[in-house]
Amino acid sequence: MQVSPFSHIKMRRPRQGNTALNVILLLYLVVFYAPSLVSSISVSTPAELHASKGDTVTLSCTFTSTSRPTSKMTVDWSYRPQSGGPPLTFFHFSSRAFLPPDGQFGGRIQWEGTPARGEASISLINATLKDNGTYTCSVRNPPDVHGSPTSYTVLTVTPKAASIRFSDVAVLLTFVLLPSIIVTLILIARMLCPKKKHNQSKAYRSPIEVTEGEEYGVHPPPREKKASCCDLYMMDSEDEEGYYELKKRPPTDEGYAESQC
């Protein structure tokens, strides 16, 4: 009779307590670590954006995913007013962009995203004060459906500051400053060229006219000083009439004349 060499080894049955512990550890690993293998999508947006009324604002949104974007990938943008209330979805992307046809954002949204590069941004045209609020970007790219698929941006729109345009400056210079400069130049010209009053009675003396203390005789009339351009320009209307009347008189012959006294 042959005896087996392993006959002295006794088979031990596993303890029931150790088996239950192993099952619990396995379930723990499956529940907590298995989703992390496929739920690695992450969405990122700027925390705050500031714009002026009438500007075009780019609502930036980027995402990273372990899976390549496919036709099943979706992008949603929603808006919550600054005064509060439920969020309103106004934009959806699934293979193509679905823009809002009407409402607050009707005709003012443009799709700027490129899913292949992880871009899901949009543009808000002609921003208004009513657009103040919180904007949410949500991206789904199956099988990456967990993780951080949403991100938030707070938009603040303020009134545009008043600015002076070049056309306004040109109008100001033409209709205000230019006439003031002309008037100033005229006043300076009057100061540099003082007006000389012409007395018609003293401008011309008769050859037989004698004043007290003068001897009888004929004296040649005094020669008139020719008026300069400045004098003619600054003359009053009465002075001009006297000047032209003197010019119209016939010249007096030089020589001596007998006194008619």
Side-chain angles (χ1 to χ4, degrees), residues 44-152:
S44 176
T45 59
E48 294 182 356
L49 285 176
H50 297 271
S52 298
K53 183 179 178 182
D55 291 348
T56 297
V57 186
T58 299
L59 300 174
S60 178
C61 179
T62 58
F63 67 92
T64 56
S65 177
T66 56
S67 301
R68 293 186 59 185
T70 63
S71 58
K72 296 181 179 180
M73 190 204 77
T74 61
V75 177
D76 291 289
W77 277 92
S78 60
Y79 163 74
R80 184 178 182 182
Q82 194 175 26
S83 58
L88 170 66
T89 300
F90 62 90
F91 175 84
H92 177 74
F93 177 87
S94 179
S95 298
R96 69 183 184 91
F98 294 88
L99 304 177
D102 51 16
Q104 178 179 348
F105 301 100
R108 298 197 297 131
I109 300 297
Q110 287 185 350
W111 170 243
E112 305 289 348
T114 306
R117 298 180 181 179
E119 291 283 347
S121 305
I122 60 174
S123 291
L124 175 61
I125 303 173
N126 192 19
T128 65
L129 300 180
K130 294 182 179 180
D131 296 333
N132 289 333
T134 303
Y135 293 79
T136 304
C137 177
S138 302
V139 181
R140 299 289 188 276
N141 185 35
D144 295 346
V145 294
H146 298 283
S148 302
T150 60
S151 187
Y152 305 92

Side-chain angles (χ1 to χ4, degrees), residues 6-72:
F6 302 99
S7 60
H8 64 283
I9 300 177
K10 296 181 179 180
M11 299 296 293
R12 294 182 179 180
R13 297 176 61 184
R15 294 181 182 180
Q16 186 174 1
N18 294 337
T19 302
L21 181 61
N22 293 335
V23 172
I24 293 174
L25 290 175
L26 181 61
L27 291 176
Y28 177 82
L29 294 175
V30 171
V31 171
F32 289 95
Y33 289 96
S36 64
L37 299 177
V38 295
S39 302
S40 58
I41 188 170
S42 177
V43 180
S44 176
T45 59
E48 294 182 356
L49 285 176
H50 297 271
S52 298
K53 183 179 178 182
D55 291 348
T56 297
V57 186
T58 299
L59 300 174
S60 178
C61 179
T62 58
F63 67 92
T64 56
S65 177
T66 56
S67 301
R68 293 186 59 185
T70 63
S71 58
K72 296 181 179 180

